[in-house]
Amino acid sequence: MRGFFIGRFQPYHLGHHEVIKNIVYEVKELIIGIGSAQESHTFENPFTAGERILMVSRALDEIDRELRKRVYIIPLEDIYRNALWVSHVCSMVPPFDVVYSNNPLVIRLFKEAGFNVKTTEMYNREEFQGVEIRRRMVEGRDWESFVPKSVAEVIKEIKGVERLREIVRNDRMYKR
Amino acid sequence: MRGFFIGRFQPYHLGHHEVIKNIVYEVKELIIGIGSAQESHTFENPFTAGERILMVSRALDEIDRELRKRVYIIPLEDIYRNALWVSHVCSMVPPFDVVYSNNPLVIRLFKEAGFNVKTTEMYNREEFQGVEIRRRMVEGRDWESFVPKSVAEVIKEIKGVERLREIVRNDRMYKR
Amino acid sequence: MRGFFIGRFQPYHLGHHEVIKNIVYEVKELIIGIGSAQESHTFENPFTAGERILMVSRALDEIDRELRKRVYIIPLEDIYRNALWVSHVCSMVPPFDVVYSNNPLVIRLFKEAGFNVKTTEMYNREEFQGVEIRRRMVEGRDWESFVPKSVAEVIKEIKGVERLREIVRNDRMYKR
Amino acid sequence: MRGFFIGRFQPYHLGHHEVIKNIVYEVKELIIGIGSAQESHTFENPFTAGERILMVSRALDEIDRELRKRVYIIPLEDIYRNALWVSHVCSMVPPFDVVYSNNPLVIRLFKEAGFNVKTTEMYNREEFQGVEIRRRMVEGRDWESFVPKSVAEVIKEIKGVERLREIVRNDRMYKR
Amino acid sequence: MRGFFIGRFQPYHLGHHEVIKNIVYEVKELIIGIGSAQESHTFENPFTAGERILMVSRALDEIDRELRKRVYIIPLEDIYRNALWVSHVCSMVPPFDVVYSNNPLVIRLFKEAGFNVKTTEMYNREEFQGVEIRRRMVEGRDWESFVPKSVAEVIKEIKGVERLREIVRNDRMYKR
Amino acid sequence: MRGFFIGRFQPYHLGHHEVIKNIVYEVKELIIGIGSAQESHTFENPFTAGERILMVSRALDEIDRELRKRVYIIPLEDIYRNALWVSHVCSMVPPFDVVYSNNPLVIRLFKEAGFNVKTTEMYNREEFQGVEIRRRMVEGRDWESFVPKSVAEVIKEIKGVERLREIVRNDRMYKR
């Protein structure tokens, strides 16, 4: 049995970490989709898909060094057409039996396509955490206690906080 | 040190297998890019990116069950603009130090961008093998001896030969 | 003489119905364009183009069973470039002599291209009605009295209200 | 019961006409998709979607003036991704129960998506006729006896033969 | 030495004029990029790239009739992917040695790509001026004293104020 | 009076040079469009738009150092939809009164849009020269006598011949 879980991971944080810790032991193989893979360098999406892949794989290693043998981490570009999105995902990743999500649109689209969907009870907290962590980065407050240790290291390596601060003057999403 | 290798893997065959067997032991981590990820259901590109990810990961397991811990298998959609292609790749995959390729365009584009490129001496044979294997599938001749055993199994599971035969009447590329 | 009228029809409602009832008898043939045809599954655009074609054609039948013999219902995908939009429309539909619209941008673009444009005096009401009806669907209030009977039936057949409610938690447009 | 039939109709000819004459009486409603709707002004696709809609609707009238009451003629832009094509079609047209086609790729894609597909025994002849008619137009030979009378009138109205001759010097497809 | 400066020029105003007056004498050749070239007919971007090229070249003539001999005015379409934007710019314009900008995102992207970037101290004022001038156009207040004389003439020639007023009822950006 | 002339300029050669020498003195201002601006690094289109802009502007200087004061050199990305191409061009360049071309498709599209088109009697030779010069570059034969002196210098500066030779093994267009 193979499961599918999708997030934007801007950045990967403890909310994602908890969910993945649980579901990775419910399935034989897990596909982790990196949503909005084409986005980067905005307040909403500061990190590239490649940087996010690095975060997810280091975080997996932190859980268990054997996990990556049975996890696929796959960037998924947006296609801007909801009616085609499930087909898009299915063409880009290996076949899967169950979808884990708490995002209402993801749940609806997979259900309309006849998939087995399990809700993860994390959605609001997850969305909240992503924005909150990015705000903390911009404002110079503590953000490291919200992400796995290995993820904090990746963000420092790529000078992620510096990038976020520099671009944010330009970013309406933050100003609102 | 991290290396980057790209192929279309239509299908993954013994030519790819030999190259990967060598380079995977030269680097600490290897990124395998699945080129033309958005293509499927043509003679030139019969298999979806998801199906090709399955082929590559099973073939890696055949070499060594520990490999997937340090290999990233990442679908890369075409962007149809050569001058942007290296930036596209770099945004979608973790940072890498060396490119392995024998494709003249790939070599040229990465060299213009200042990358360290190592030629793999496989290009002609590789290109040839892909087309040849697909022809053999269409014509009902032996193709299984050209791919790793685990890849043959994937192709049978997804009824790949049947698909290729059915679409080929429509495909000019084959008729030429 | 052939006329052109465009709307998003999310959903088709009595405001559209009144306008079409009038103009369909002013022209020999009428083209009804379904705007933003590629959109679906959002609060702003919950229904697919196919579902909206169904609404429009059933509503036409409600006016007069003979109408569809001289009406073209044509989905029009957005092209995101205003300067090309009139050419886009003209390439997708049969030639027409007069444009019916109350949308300022549509009027301006067709006028700049030299078309004969008649204003329909419905715009504000129309825009208002679409949003209002969708809000009523989400909030469980009466919405059926704002659309033709046959359109309400289509929406029930496709479980449209259920879809709208499920996706709306995710949709910022509604939250604002 | 609703049926779906797709063609490029460059131009609509007697091959299409025969097929449609048969299937239109097998179903309650028929959807006729205009494929490659975004293409025009090439040897392969000389006519715009709008012009082709005009051909199809006039040809329907020639069969029976009542037909257009239960036929949908819908332009379908290419999406250049076979794995998403069925979802694309389904989002753009009303729901349908049966697909009529003799195109191997169309058949395969709808079958993989679980649709009921009926072959129309026309494919080779149809493909052949389209090219042959365009060649005849270019070379000044008889082409009118290959299309319904009303279609010949449309092509003359839009000066289609003149267009085809003027662009053809530029068109590699014809030179081959 | 060649310099690069980018703006949206909606419209070209005295803020741009001051900056260009300075930098055009610091470099041998200057490239002026017209950003969001594909946009037009909205409150945010009322003028086409062609119209903006006209504004910029007339304004250059106003500074010095010899300038256009060593200035390139080049429309740049958005690509909606920040990680590819510098490569996109570099493929569309002649090679350059220094970037002049005060836009935080532009500065960051060029710095990450290793370019020499000089800040122009104009950004806030520039952004402000663009919106302010368009508002004044809509509201019938004085706008001409904010742009070079030759630019005001271009805007009158193309009936720009009339266009802006007509489309603005439809434009949410303005309503907010 | 403003004229419009378009070419791909792969590379700019004496055929283009002759035409431009003539028409630049027939008009007050000339727009030179760089077609297929997004293409580069193929046998068909080896040079980027930026490199081609450099070729054209240097060649203009070779004719007359004052020319660039009244010539616009503008890259034009393909839009892959013939029916929209004239609108696309018109949105990207200043308004023009006359089109100079010998390309049948360009002539037809501008004529259908009601433009005044003058044929330049160069087309076959021009097309031929582009391919011929690129072949000569690949094969190490003389190519410099087919281009203006300043253009040969640009090509050497950017190591264009070296690029062309390296990519050509990969390029089917050349192999045919």
Side-chain angles (χ1 to χ4, degrees):
Chain A
M1 200 183 84
R2 208 176 280 127
F4 176 73
F5 177 75
I6 190 164
R8 285 193 299 110
F9 306 110
Q10 293 284 12
Y12 183 100
H13 56 62
L14 293 175
H16 303 116
H17 210 51
E18 285 313 302
V19 172
I20 287 174
K21 263 183 198 168
N22 290 322
I23 62 182
V24 80
Y25 296 108
E26 289 179 21
V27 292
K28 208 179 148 204
E29 295 196 314
L30 180 65
I31 301 159
I32 300 177
I34 310 277
S36 296
Q38 82 290 349
E39 295 283 340
S40 71
H41 296 83
T42 65
F43 175 71
E44 204 58 35
N45 289 289
F47 306 114
T48 68
E51 291 163 350
R52 292 178 269 161
I53 289 171
L54 217 54
M55 292 179 203
V56 176
S57 53
R58 296 261 183 97
L60 288 173
D61 286 349
E62 214 175 301
I63 300 172
D64 174 351
R65 290 283 307 170
E66 297 299 305
L67 280 188
R68 280 177 63 191
K69 281 160 126 174
R70 57 193 187 80
V71 175
Y72 303 82
I73 308 166
I74 298 179
L76 291 165
E77 301 188 21
D78 290 329
I79 48 163
Y80 311 103
R81 293 186 56 171
N82 288 331
L84 277 58
W85 189 74
V86 168
S87 294
H88 170 56
V89 169
C90 291
S91 76
M92 286 291 161
V93 311
F96 50 90
D97 312 279
V98 56
V99 175
Y100 294 90
S101 181
N102 218 335
N103 179 312
L105 180 59
V106 169
I107 292 172
R108 176 76 197 183
L109 292 173
F110 274 112
K111 275 188 178 166
E112 283 195 11
F115 276 83
N116 176 17
V117 183
K118 293 191 180 174
T119 56
T120 55
E121 312 287 336
M122 180 201 65
Y123 183 66
N124 284 328
R125 192 153 47 94
E126 192 254 330
E127 263 307 286
F128 168 73
Q129 282 197 6
V131 180
E132 176 63 18
I133 291 167
R134 295 194 302 273
R135 281 215 185 95
R136 285 166 171 269
M137 287 173 167
V138 172
E139 293 162 6
R141 293 189 284 140
D142 166 49
W143 57 270
E144 299 180 42
S145 56
F146 294 80
V147 304
K149 203 176 163 185
S150 56
V151 170
E153 279 161 21
V154 171
I155 291 170
K156 284 173 195 165
E157 266 174 52
I158 62 172
K159 294 182 182 164
V161 176
E162 191 185 330
R163 182 195 294 163
L164 194 55
R165 276 183 204 154
E166 283 186 32
I167 58 183
V168 98
R169 274 202 292 149
N170 193 48
D171 200 304
R172 294 173 187 180
M173 212 54 72
Y174 181 71
K175 288 175 200 157
R176 273 179 205 164
Chain B
M1 199 183 84
R2 208 177 280 127
F4 176 73
F5 176 75
I6 190 165
R8 285 193 299 111
F9 306 111
Q10 294 283 15
Y12 184 99
H13 55 60
L14 293 175
H16 303 117
H17 210 51
E18 285 313 302
V19 173
I20 286 174
K21 264 183 197 167
N22 290 323
I23 63 184
V24 82
Y25 296 106
E26 288 179 23
V27 293
K28 205 177 150 205
E29 294 197 316
L30 179 64
I31 300 159
I32 300 177
I34 310 276
S36 297
Q38 82 289 348
E39 295 283 340
S40 72
H41 296 83
T42 66
F43 176 70
E44 204 58 35
N45 289 289
F47 306 114
T48 69
E51 291 163 349
R52 292 177 269 160
I53 289 170
L54 217 54
M55 292 179 202
V56 176
S57 53
R58 296 261 183 97
L60 288 172
D61 286 350
E62 214 177 301
I63 300 172
D64 174 350
R65 290 281 309 169
E66 297 298 305
L67 280 188
R68 280 177 63 190
K69 282 162 137 177
R70 56 191 188 81
V71 176
Y72 302 83
I73 308 165
I74 297 179
L76 292 165
E77 300 187 22
D78 291 328
I79 48 163
Y80 311 103
R81 295 187 53 171
N82 288 331
L84 276 60
W85 189 75
V86 168
S87 293
H88 170 57
V89 169
C90 291
S91 76
M92 285 293 160
V93 311
F96 50 90
D97 313 280
V98 56
V99 175
Y100 294 90
S101 182
N102 219 333
N103 178 312
L105 180 59
V106 169
I107 292 172
R108 176 75 198 184
L109 292 173
F110 274 112
K111 275 188 179 165
E112 284 196 11
F115 276 83
N116 176 17
V117 183
K118 294 192 179 172
T119 55
T120 55
E121 312 287 338
M122 181 202 65
Y123 182 66
N124 285 329
R125 191 152 46 96
E126 192 252 331
E127 262 308 287
F128 168 72
Q129 281 196 6
V131 181
E132 177 63 17
I133 292 166
R134 296 194 301 274
R135 280 215 186 96
R136 284 167 170 268
M137 286 173 167
V138 172
E139 293 162 7
R141 293 190 283 139
D142 165 50
W143 56 271
E144 299 181 42
S145 56
F146 294 80
V147 304
K149 202 176 163 186
S150 57
V151 170
E153 279 161 21
V154 171
I155 291 170
K156 283 172 195 164
E157 266 173 53
I158 62 172
K159 293 183 182 163
V161 176
E162 190 185 328
R163 181 194 295 163
L164 194 55
R165 274 182 206 157
E166 282 187 31
I167 59 182
V168 99
R169 276 202 292 147
N170 193 47
D171 201 305
R172 293 175 187 176
M173 212 54 73
Y174 181 71
K175 288 177 200 158
R176 274 179 204 162
Chain C
M1 200 183 85
R2 209 176 279 127
F4 176 73
F5 176 75
I6 189 164
R8 285 193 298 110
F9 307 109
Q10 294 283 13
Y12 184 98
H13 55 61
L14 292 176
H16 303 116
H17 210 52
E18 284 313 302
V19 173
I20 285 174
K21 264 183 198 169
N22 290 323
I23 62 182
V24 81
Y25 295 108
E26 290 179 21
V27 293
K28 208 179 148 203
E29 294 197 315
L30 179 64
I31 301 158
I32 300 177
I34 311 276
S36 297
Q38 82 290 347
E39 295 283 340
S40 72
H41 296 84
T42 65
F43 175 70
E44 204 58 35
N45 289 289
F47 306 115
T48 69
E51 290 163 349
R52 292 178 269 161
I53 290 171
L54 217 53
M55 292 178 203
V56 176
S57 53
R58 296 261 183 97
L60 288 173
D61 286 350
E62 215 176 302
I63 300 172
D64 174 352
R65 291 281 309 168
E66 297 299 304
L67 281 187
R68 280 177 63 189
K69 281 162 132 176
R70 56 191 187 81
V71 175
Y72 303 83
I73 308 165
I74 298 179
L76 292 165
E77 300 188 22
D78 291 329
I79 49 164
Y80 311 102
R81 294 186 56 170
N82 288 330
L84 276 59
W85 189 75
V86 168
S87 294
H88 170 57
V89 170
C90 291
S91 76
M92 285 293 161
V93 311
F96 50 90
D97 313 280
V98 56
V99 175
Y100 294 90
S101 181
N102 219 334
N103 178 311
L105 180 59
V106 169
I107 291 172
R108 176 76 198 184
L109 292 173
F110 275 111
K111 274 189 179 165
E112 284 195 11
F115 276 83
N116 177 17
V117 183
K118 294 192 180 173
T119 56
T120 53
E121 311 288 337
M122 181 203 65
Y123 183 66
N124 285 328
R125 192 153 46 96
E126 192 252 328
E127 262 307 287
F128 168 73
Q129 281 196 7
V131 180
E132 176 64 17
I133 292 166
R134 296 194 300 274
R135 280 214 187 97
R136 284 166 171 267
M137 287 173 167
V138 171
E139 294 162 6
R141 292 190 284 140
D142 166 49
W143 57 270
E144 299 180 42
S145 56
F146 294 81
V147 304
K149 203 176 163 185
S150 57
V151 169
E153 279 160 20
V154 170
I155 290 169
K156 283 170 194 167
E157 266 174 53
I158 62 172
K159 293 182 182 165
V161 176
E162 190 186 329
R163 182 195 293 163
L164 194 55
R165 276 183 205 155
E166 283 187 30
I167 58 182
V168 99
R169 275 204 292 148
N170 193 48
D171 200 305
R172 294 175 186 177
M173 212 54 73
Y174 181 71
K175 287 177 200 155
R176 273 180 203 161
Chain D
M1 201 184 85
R2 209 177 278 128
F4 176 73
F5 176 75
I6 190 164
R8 284 192 300 110
F9 306 111
Q10 293 283 12
Y12 183 100
H13 55 61
L14 293 175
H16 303 116
H17 210 52
E18 285 312 303
V19 172
I20 286 175
K21 264 183 199 169
N22 291 322
I23 63 183
V24 82
Y25 295 108
E26 289 179 21
V27 292
K28 207 179 149 202
E29 295 197 314
L30 179 64
I31 300 159
I32 300 177
I34 310 277
S36 296
Q38 82 289 347
E39 296 282 341
S40 72
H41 296 83
T42 65
F43 176 70
E44 204 58 35
N45 289 290
F47 306 114
T48 68
E51 292 163 349
R52 292 178 269 161
I53 289 170
L54 217 53
M55 292 179 202
V56 176
S57 52
R58 297 261 183 98
L60 288 173
D61 286 349
E62 214 176 302
I63 300 172
D64 174 352
R65 291 281 308 169
E66 297 299 304
L67 280 188
R68 279 177 64 191
K69 282 162 136 176
R70 56 192 188 80
V71 175
Y72 303 83
I73 308 166
I74 297 179
L76 291 165
E77 300 187 22
D78 291 329
I79 48 164
Y80 310 103
R81 294 185 56 171
N82 288 331
L84 276 59
W85 188 76
V86 168
S87 294
H88 170 57
V89 169
C90 291
S91 75
M92 286 292 161
V93 311
F96 50 90
D97 312 280
V98 56
V99 175
Y100 293 89
S101 181
N102 218 335
N103 178 311
L105 180 59
V106 170
I107 292 172
R108 177 74 197 184
L109 292 173
F110 274 112
K111 275 189 179 164
E112 284 195 10
F115 276 83
N116 176 17
V117 183
K118 293 191 180 174
T119 56
T120 55
E121 311 288 337
M122 182 201 65
Y123 183 65
N124 285 327
R125 191 153 47 95
E126 192 253 332
E127 262 307 286
F128 168 73
Q129 281 196 6
V131 181
E132 176 63 18
I133 292 167
R134 296 194 301 273
R135 280 214 186 96
R136 285 167 170 266
M137 286 173 167
V138 171
E139 292 161 8
R141 292 189 284 140
D142 165 50
W143 57 270
E144 299 181 41
S145 56
F146 294 81
V147 304
K149 203 177 163 185
S150 57
V151 170
E153 279 161 21
V154 171
I155 290 169
K156 283 172 195 166
E157 266 173 53
I158 62 173
K159 293 183 182 163
V161 176
E162 192 186 327
R163 181 194 294 163
L164 194 55
R165 275 183 205 154
E166 284 187 30
I167 59 183
V168 98
R169 274 204 292 149
N170 193 47
D171 201 305
R172 295 175 185 176
M173 213 51 76
Y174 181 71
K175 288 176 199 155
R176 272 179 204 163
Chain E
M1 200 182 83
R2 209 177 281 125
F4 175 74
F5 177 75
I6 190 165
R8 284 193 300 110
F9 307 110
Q10 293 283 15
Y12 182 99
H13 55 61
L14 293 175
H16 304 117
H17 210 51
E18 285 313 302
V19 172
I20 286 175
K21 265 183 197 166
N22 289 324
I23 62 183
V24 81
Y25 296 107
E26 288 179 23
V27 292
K28 206 177 149 206
E29 293 198 315
L30 180 64
I31 300 159
I32 300 178
I34 311 275
S36 297
Q38 82 290 348
E39 295 282 341
S40 73
H41 297 83
T42 65
F43 175 71
E44 204 59 35
N45 290 288
F47 306 115
T48 69
E51 291 163 348
R52 292 178 269 161
I53 289 170
L54 216 54
M55 293 180 202
V56 176
S57 52
R58 297 263 182 96
L60 288 172
D61 287 350
E62 215 177 301
I63 300 172
D64 174 351
R65 290 282 308 170
E66 296 300 305
L67 280 188
R68 278 176 64 191
K69 282 162 130 176
R70 56 192 188 79
V71 176
Y72 302 83
I73 308 166
I74 298 179
L76 291 165
E77 300 188 23
D78 290 329
I79 48 163
Y80 311 103
R81 294 186 54 171
N82 288 330
L84 276 59
W85 189 75
V86 168
S87 295
H88 170 56
V89 170
C90 291
S91 76
M92 285 291 159
V93 311
F96 50 90
D97 312 280
V98 56
V99 175
Y100 294 91
S101 181
N102 218 334
N103 178 312
L105 180 60
V106 169
I107 292 172
R108 176 76 199 185
L109 292 173
F110 274 113
K111 275 188 178 164
E112 283 196 12
F115 276 83
N116 176 16
V117 182
K118 294 192 180 173
T119 56
T120 54
E121 312 287 337
M122 181 201 63
Y123 182 65
N124 284 328
R125 193 153 45 96
E126 192 253 331
E127 262 306 287
F128 167 72
Q129 281 196 6
V131 180
E132 177 63 18
I133 292 167
R134 296 193 301 273
R135 280 214 187 97
R136 284 167 171 268
M137 287 173 167
V138 172
E139 293 162 6
R141 293 190 284 141
D142 165 50
W143 57 270
E144 298 180 43
S145 56
F146 294 80
V147 304
K149 203 176 162 186
S150 57
V151 170
E153 279 162 21
V154 171
I155 291 169
K156 284 172 195 164
E157 267 172 53
I158 63 173
K159 293 183 182 162
V161 176
E162 191 184 330
R163 181 194 295 164
L164 194 55
R165 275 182 206 156
E166 284 187 30
I167 59 182
V168 99
R169 275 202 293 149
N170 194 46
D171 201 303
R172 294 174 187 178
M173 213 53 74
Y174 181 72
K175 288 175 200 159
R176 274 179 204 160
Chain F
M1 201 185 83
R2 208 176 281 127
F4 176 74
F5 177 74
I6 190 165
R8 284 193 299 110
F9 307 110
Q10 294 282 15
Y12 183 100
H13 56 61
L14 293 175
H16 303 116
H17 210 51
E18 284 314 301
V19 172
I20 285 174
K21 263 183 198 168
N22 290 323
I23 61 182
V24 81
Y25 295 107
E26 288 179 22
V27 291
K28 206 179 150 204
E29 294 197 313
L30 180 64
I31 301 159
I32 301 177
I34 311 275
S36 297
Q38 82 290 348
E39 294 283 339
S40 72
H41 296 83
T42 66
F43 175 71
E44 204 59 33
N45 290 289
F47 305 115
T48 69
E51 291 163 350
R52 291 178 269 162
I53 289 171
L54 217 54
M55 292 179 202
V56 176
S57 53
R58 296 262 182 97
L60 288 172
D61 286 349
E62 214 175 301
I63 300 171
D64 175 350
R65 289 283 307 170
E66 297 299 304
L67 280 188
R68 279 177 64 190
K69 282 162 133 175
R70 55 191 189 80
V71 175
Y72 302 82
I73 308 165
I74 297 180
L76 292 165
E77 301 188 21
D78 290 328
I79 48 162
Y80 310 103
R81 293 186 56 172
N82 288 331
L84 276 59
W85 188 75
V86 168
S87 294
H88 171 57
V89 169
C90 291
S91 76
M92 286 290 161
V93 311
F96 50 89
D97 313 279
V98 56
V99 175
Y100 294 90
S101 181
N102 219 335
N103 178 312
L105 180 60
V106 170
I107 292 172
R108 176 76 198 183
L109 292 174
F110 274 112
K111 275 188 178 166
E112 282 195 11
F115 277 83
N116 177 17
V117 183
K118 294 191 179 173
T119 56
T120 55
E121 311 287 336
M122 181 201 64
Y123 183 65
N124 284 328
R125 193 154 45 95
E126 192 254 331
E127 262 307 287
F128 167 74
Q129 281 197 6
V131 180
E132 177 63 18
I133 292 167
R134 295 193 302 273
R135 281 216 186 94
R136 285 168 170 268
M137 287 173 167
V138 172
E139 292 161 7
R141 293 189 284 140
D142 166 50
W143 57 270
E144 299 181 41
S145 56
F146 294 80
V147 304
K149 202 176 164 187
S150 57
V151 170
E153 280 161 19
V154 171
I155 291 169
K156 283 173 194 164
E157 266 173 53
I158 62 172
K159 294 184 181 161
V161 176
E162 189 184 332
R163 181 194 295 163
L164 194 55
R165 274 183 205 155
E166 283 187 31
I167 58 182
V168 99
R169 274 203 291 149
N170 194 47
D171 201 304
R172 293 174 186 177
M173 213 53 72
Y174 181 70
K175 287 175 200 160
R176 272 178 205 163

